Amino acid sequence: TLNIRGFSEQRLLEMVDGDRIQTATEHAGPLSTININNIERIEVIKGASSVLYGTGAMGGVVNFVTKTPAYTTTFKAKGNVGSEFNTVNNLWANFANVSFTTNQWYMALDGSFRTAQNTMTPAGPLLSSQFHDASWGLKAGVKYSANREFKANYQHFGGWDIGIPGGRTFSASVVARYTGISRNQLAGEYIISDLNDNLRQIVFKAYTQNISRDVELVPNSTNKLYPSSLNKTSGLKLTTDWQFTYYHSLTLGAEGWLRDAKTIKLTEKNNADTLLTVTGDLPTPHAKMYDAGVFAHYSWKIQPEKLVLNAGVRLDYIQTANDTAFSPLFKYTVKNNVATDVKNLPRKVLFVASVHEDPAYAAHVNLTFIPVSNQQFTLSLSNSYRAASIEERFKLIELDGPKHVGNPNLKPERGIFSNLGYTFLGGKLRLKADVYANYLNNLITEQRGTYTYIDADGSPTSETAFINVNISRALFMGVEFEGKWIWDKHFSMEANASHVRARDVDKNDFLPLIPPMNGFAAFNYQLERGTGVSVSALWAATQHEIAPGETATPGHVVYNVDIHGGGIALNKTTLQMWAGVNNLFDAAYTDHLSSNRGIVKLEPGRNIYVKIKLAWE
């Protein structure tokens, strides 16, 4: 899962190589569809980012950047292969990467395969936590001239027999798994640089990304459920960078994207007389979400190396449209391998066809003051927004517990964000501290209420359910600290800590899914040839500031040991190895976010891992 300053996935924008990942909110499953061994870096922007990235980036942005070769003066070919083993779930992973480069073009191929069994916790195996997946990708780039370049990127991920642990959502006897999940991403980018003294760059990008998921739920011997979904997001983006003088620069852009979401759920019931009944329903109606926006970002070096002002503004038009959702869609019986349709099927209307329009705007201003060369103060003020997702408007989840229902009439979330930051960069000591306060209107959350639908006879019918609603006001306040002390070229220490409090201002209740005070500390020792050892501790305090219906979680400390080799040269190849132990003392602990989402009750136990990579050039 992801959480930035109390904001979880639905209020964060997640991207791969700058392309949106959009699917059902609440869980970050799509992030598991990225080849971890092909990631070059992970870019994290904390705080409101709607000006540059639009809706969804209310609390921050996380962009996974995959490896891209660099152009070379002569033809070069290089690559690597590797394997990894983890004891906590018998994970066996294999990966490979090869690239070819010249001064005018490059091409890179990567692939991976992983298989894992149930994860072990100090209390025993975490049932339905196995997974199997494979991926491959292709990147290519061509330089037509010194200032014109075209880039293409394709990624495919496929997984099967992926367990869904369920935690409190499913009982231990329930079989829950993805029978199949896939992600396909295709993007093209055309870059024109140095058109004149003022227009420094034009970037035009087109992309499409789809995620499909097929789920199997077997609550007992007579019932089986098969939910499926297909989420496709396609977008266009144009960005221009202008440099008027050394002191003034401007970025202008336009962006549009379309998300298309389709779902269906099949329910099978076996009767004692060998009659099989199959019913089709829609967990959400077929829906589309459009977004078109323009943005501008201005930078002014008021006093170079001392005082810099950055400001931006964005305007968006967002439209969400859905078809009418009936229940059931169809129904038939099967006996002696003969299927018979159920005629004159009574249907209730879950959601009527509708169109929702949400004009939106965002703005920010950042002031950076550098009193001396090694210290910096930053003050940021932002206005940010987020339109309700398709699932938040239209979902209908019926599992073992109460229903969870969307609300078509949700208003967009809007917020005012502020951050005061301080950075110190000394010769051996580096410090960074932030204090922030975020005030939100129309925060979307679940509350117990009454859901009304149109029954088969045409009359309105009401049921008790957890329904998405807008909270009029919410306040998030917190602090973050991180530091690193470099004793000498061999020894260093680093640590961070963060704490956030979030409340429903009107009801004076704590908000759900807020992480406890937590942090990290590590002692690192580096040898001459790149070999190093790290001993670290991840800790979290007790979280008792909980929302109604949540469970408090105790504090914990988890110790890890990591060893990495600097590489052994073997002719034109290099052999590199990593090893370590996660959760060294096999501590039994719960993560507040995972346990209260109903994902898992206990986190993984002791894990010994070994990783080896052979690279050549």
Side-chain angles (χ1 to χ4, degrees):
T1 60
L2 289 177
N3 194 285
I4 296 178
R5 296 180 172 180
F7 293 103
S8 50
E9 286 86 10
Q10 67 266 44
R11 295 180 183 90
L12 305 175
L13 178 58
E14 301 144 12
M15 301 190 294
V16 180
D17 292 325
D19 302 343
R20 287 172 169 264
I21 299 180
Q22 294 197 135
T23 180
T25 54
E26 292 298 327
H27 298 292
L31 299 185
S32 297
T33 66
I34 304 168
N35 179 4
I36 194 74
N37 288 291
N38 194 44
I39 292 178
E40 184 175 281
R41 66 185 183 276
I42 301 174
E43 299 171 339
V44 179
I45 301 174
K46 297 181 179 181
S49 306
S50 294
V51 166
L52 292 179
Y53 299 98
T55 182
M58 170 169 274
V61 177
V62 179
N63 183 27
F64 294 82
V65 181
T66 58
K67 295 177 181 177
T68 302
Y71 295 100
T72 54
T73 54
T74 61
F75 175 79
K76 285 189 177 182
K78 63 179 181 179
N80 61 73
V81 295
S83 291
E84 179 181 1
F85 181 74
N86 286 252
T87 61
V88 75
N89 58 354
N90 290 323
L91 167 69
W92 183 260
N94 299 280
F95 56 92
N97 180 287
V98 62
S99 65
F100 307 93
T101 59
T102 71
N103 65 337
Q104 289 187 318
W105 61 269
Y106 67 78
M107 183 174 69
L109 285 164
D110 69 89
S112 70
F113 170 78
R114 302 187 303 170
T115 179
Q117 305 307 312
N118 284 335
T119 297
M120 291 299 298
T121 73
L126 177 63
L127 300 179
S128 295
S129 59
Q130 79 285 351
F131 64 87
H132 314 273
D133 59 50
S135 69
W136 69 275
L138 171 65
K139 272 193 173 183
V142 179
K143 275 190 175 181
Y144 295 102
S145 63
N147 67 338
R148 295 176 185 268
E149 181 182 10
F150 175 74
K151 297 180 180 180
N153 179 17
Y154 176 76
Q155 296 177 29
H156 170 76
F157 172 95
W160 61 96
D161 188 22
I162 300 172
I164 305 174
R168 61 179 181 176
T169 306
F170 309 121
S171 62
S173 61
V174 173
V175 175
R177 64 184 184 123
Y178 291 106
T179 56
I181 181 171
S182 68
R183 181 178 68 87
N184 294 281
Q185 177 183 0
L186 176 63
E189 191 172 13
Y190 190 65
I191 304 168
I192 307 174
S193 304
D194 301 323
L195 277 80
N196 54 53
D197 291 340
N198 298 129
L199 184 52
R200 308 305 300 169
Q201 190 176 73
I202 298 176
V203 179
F204 178 77
K205 186 174 187 180
Y207 69 91
T208 183
Q209 189 164 201
N210 65 70
I211 298 174
S212 65
R213 297 183 293 182
D214 298 310
V215 178
E216 178 187 43
L217 301 174
V218 185
N220 50 57
S221 60
T222 59
N223 294 317
K224 294 182 180 180
L225 288 77
Y226 297 97
S228 296
S229 68
L230 174 62
N231 287 268
K232 183 178 181 180
T233 304
S234 300
L236 300 171
K237 188 173 185 178
L238 174 66
T239 307
T240 62
D241 292 324
W242 302 76
Q243 186 76 48
F244 301 109
T245 67
Y246 171 76
Y247 300 94
H248 303 278
S249 60
L250 178 68
T251 296
L252 296 174
E255 180 180 15
W257 54 265
L258 165 66
R259 180 188 170 197
D260 190 317
K262 298 178 181 178
T263 65
I264 191 169
K265 181 182 69 176
L266 300 181
T267 303
E268 293 184 358
K269 291 188 177 182
N270 284 286
N271 299 326
D273 59 356
T274 70
L275 181 70
L276 174 66
T277 302
V278 180
T279 306
D281 287 295
L282 292 180
T284 61
H286 181 200
K288 294 182 179 181
M289 188 173 182
Y290 307 82
D291 187 309
V294 293
F295 58 91
H297 182 268
Y298 170 68
S299 181
W300 177 21
K301 296 178 181 178
I302 302 172
Q303 187 177 356
E305 314 303 328
K306 287 288 185 181
L307 190 62
V308 178
L309 174 71
N310 290 284
V313 65
R314 183 183 183 108
L315 300 174
D316 275 277
Y317 170 76
I318 304 168
Q319 183 188 96
T320 306
N322 68 288
D323 295 340
T324 299
F326 299 94
S327 179
L329 279 179
F330 57 82
K331 192 173 185 179
Y332 63 88
T333 60
V334 179
K335 189 171 185 178
N336 298 326
N337 294 322
V338 177
T340 304
D341 286 333
V342 177
K343 305 295 184 181
N344 300 319
L345 188 65
R347 292 187 175 97
K348 54 189 177 183
V349 179
L350 303 178
F351 296 99
V352 298
S354 61
V355 176
H356 303 271
E357 298 178 337
D358 296 312
Y361 69 91
H364 75 235
V365 58
N366 302 332
L367 188 65
T368 300
F369 174 56
I370 307 172
V372 293
S373 60
N374 64 349
Q375 296 186 57
Q376 175 179 296
F377 293 90
T378 303
L379 175 64
S380 302
L381 298 173
S382 306
N383 170 278
S384 195
Y385 67 92
R386 184 182 75 90
S389 69
I390 288 173
E391 289 76 17
E392 286 172 325
R393 290 188 188 274
F394 307 118
K395 71 181 177 182
L396 179 61
I397 300 175
E398 298 179 89
L399 296 173
D400 290 347
K403 290 182 178 181
H404 295 261
V405 183
N407 181 353
N409 300 312
L410 289 172
K411 300 175 183 178
E413 295 180 339
R414 302 185 185 277
I416 298 174
F417 292 68
S418 62
N419 185 92
L420 178 62
Y422 169 76
T423 303
F424 174 83
L425 298 175
K428 292 187 175 183
L429 182 63
R430 302 171 186 175
L431 299 173
K432 189 175 187 302
D434 289 275
V435 180
Y436 59 88
N438 305 323
Y439 184 83
L440 273 66
N441 285 311
N442 300 326
L443 186 74
I444 298 172
T445 189
E446 276 193 339
Q447 288 185 358
R448 186 179 291 274
T450 301
Y451 159 60
T452 302
Y453 59 90
I454 301 174
D455 213 339
D457 61 3
S459 61
T461 303
S462 298
E463 294 182 5
T464 299
F466 283 99
I467 302 172
N468 284 331
V469 297
N470 289 107
I471 294 176
S472 57
R473 295 183 299 168
L475 180 63
F476 293 72
M477 300 181 66
V479 295
E480 293 179 337
F481 169 82
E482 59 184 77
K484 186 171 184 177
W485 179 39
I486 304 172
W487 174 257
D488 56 29
K489 64 180 180 180
H490 298 295
F491 182 73
S492 66
M493 296 187 299
E494 56 187 319
N496 65 41
S498 64
H499 180 53
V500 57
R501 300 187 80 217
R503 299 186 71 89
D504 179 338
V505 175
D506 293 329
K507 291 189 174 182
N508 198 30
D509 286 333
F510 290 109
L511 292 176
L513 299 177
I514 302 301
M517 182 186 297
N518 64 91
F520 163 85
F523 300 86
N524 309 305
Y525 187 78
Q526 192 79 11
L527 299 177
E528 292 288 349
R529 296 184 178 180
T531 301
V533 179
S534 176
V535 178
S536 61
L538 296 167
W539 61 270
T542 299
Q543 179 58 296
H544 51 76
E545 297 177 343
I546 58 175
E550 278 195 318
T551 302
T553 49
H556 62 264
V557 181
V558 178
Y559 297 93
N560 305 310
V561 177
D562 302 278
I563 303 170
H564 60 271
I568 302 172
L570 304 170
N571 197 5
K572 292 185 177 182
T573 63
T574 302
L575 181 66
Q576 192 171 5
M577 292 182 290
W578 297 260
V581 184
N582 297 325
N583 196 356
L584 180 63
F585 299 111
D586 200 27
Y589 70 100
T590 57
D591 179 271
H592 185 76
L593 301 180
S594 295
S595 61
N596 279 285
R597 288 176 184 220
I599 303 174
V600 298
K601 298 178 180 178
L602 207 59
E603 297 297 318
R606 182 186 298 112
N607 176 48
I608 302 172
Y609 69 88
V610 178
K611 183 176 180 179
I612 185 170
K613 183 171 75 172
L614 183 66
W616 67 89
E617 184 172 347

